[in-house]
Amino acid sequence: DAGGSVIEGWIGWNFKSGKNTHRVYARYTAASGDDDAADDTDDAFRPLFGDFHNRLGHGDFFQVSGDSTQLGGGGLVTDLGINAFAVGWNGRFGDRSELGAEYWSFTTSEDVVFSPTVSEDALGTEIDVWYNYNYSKNLTFSASLSQFSPDDALTGVAAAAPDDTVTRLYGQARFRF
């Protein structure tokens, strides 16, 4: 008996100044988890295909799914779901350059239970900064820096797991034909 759900939305505002276009926006994504893996229902969202890059931040720390984050620590189990909220800005300068920044907050749809009286849903926060350069209409170079700060659902309420921040720097070339 399956009954997972997902919702995703963006809202923003673009404004233009000469050849430059700026956008401020907010994003929200939620995928249901399964509150009781032992019963005969599966309430976690099960996507048909894998996720794509930058859906929940440039660092790709999480996916839109009811499955576990796979980041471990803090007694994390499967089927917790995800709630992700972001605010951001990006600017396109002329027809070649784009610069942007986002702030993400992540929680689980289902609480992580540490004991009968202690539970937590806060996974952490992420900050992304990126730059894209359109070399031509077919070739784009990108660089991004992402920093994730874990919260109690990953580190454990009693600091059972490390709470070090994680930083990812990546670059890519995208060729379209």
Side-chain angles (χ1 to χ4, degrees), residues 93 95-99 130-136 139-143 172-174:
F93 301 95
D95 59 353
R96 295 208 179 238
S97 295
E98 177 189 9
L99 181 65
W130 70 91
Y131 176 74
N132 296 330
Y133 179 74
N134 294 324
Y135 180 77
S136 70
L139 182 60
T140 302
F141 295 102
S142 301
Q172 71 180 18
R174 186 166 105 181

Side-chain angles (χ1 to χ4, degrees), residues 1-58:
D1 191 15
S5 62
V6 65
I7 185 169
E8 190 167 25
W10 288 50
I11 188 165
W13 183 58
N14 292 339
F15 51 99
K16 190 166 182 156
S17 173
K19 288 187 170 187
N20 303 331
T21 304
H22 300 273
R23 174 187 301 145
V24 291
Y25 57 88
R27 300 170 62 173
Y28 178 74
T29 301
S32 64
D34 192 8
D35 58 353
D36 186 0
D39 66 10
D40 64 348
T41 63
D42 184 2
D43 298 322
F45 172 67
R46 306 283 180 208
L48 295 175
F49 305 100
D51 231 338
F52 53 87
H53 171 61
N54 187 29
R55 188 167 185 184
L56 296 181
H58 283 256

Side-chain angles (χ1 to χ4, degrees), residues 118-138:
V118 178
S119 64
E120 183 61 54
D121 70 348
L123 290 169
T125 59
E126 177 180 345
I127 297 173
D128 298 326
V129 178
W130 70 91
Y131 176 74
N132 296 330
Y133 179 74
N134 294 324
Y135 180 77
S136 70
K137 70 178 189 173
N138 296 337

Side-chain angles (χ1 to χ4, degrees), residues 43-173:
D43 298 322
F45 172 67
R46 306 283 180 208
L48 295 175
F49 305 100
D51 231 338
F52 53 87
H53 171 61
N54 187 29
R55 188 167 185 184
L56 296 181
H58 283 256
D60 293 326
F61 294 105
F62 300 103
Q63 61 184 359
V64 179
S65 174
D67 290 335
S68 169
T69 61
Q70 303 298 320
L71 291 178
L76 209 56
V77 295
T78 60
D79 301 337
L80 294 174
I82 187 98
N83 296 315
F85 175 75
V87 292
W89 163 84
N90 72 325
R92 295 183 187 271
F93 301 95
D95 59 353
R96 295 208 179 238
S97 295
E98 177 189 9
L99 181 65
E102 285 179 328
Y103 172 82
W104 286 88
S105 175
F106 300 100
T107 60
T108 59
S109 295
E110 306 298 328
D111 284 350
V112 179
V113 178
F114 292 98
S115 73
T117 59
V118 178
S119 64
E120 183 61 54
D121 70 348
L123 290 169
T125 59
E126 177 180 345
I127 297 173
D128 298 326
V129 178
W130 70 91
Y131 176 74
N132 296 330
Y133 179 74
N134 294 324
Y135 180 77
S136 70
K137 70 178 189 173
N138 296 337
L139 182 60
T140 302
F141 295 102
S142 301
S144 177
L145 179 66
S146 300
Q147 185 172 36
F148 177 72
S149 299
D151 212 332
D152 288 344
L154 291 175
T155 62
V157 174
D163 63 354
D164 298 336
T165 59
V166 179
T167 303
R168 289 186 177 166
L169 173 65
Y170 82 87
Q172 71 180 18

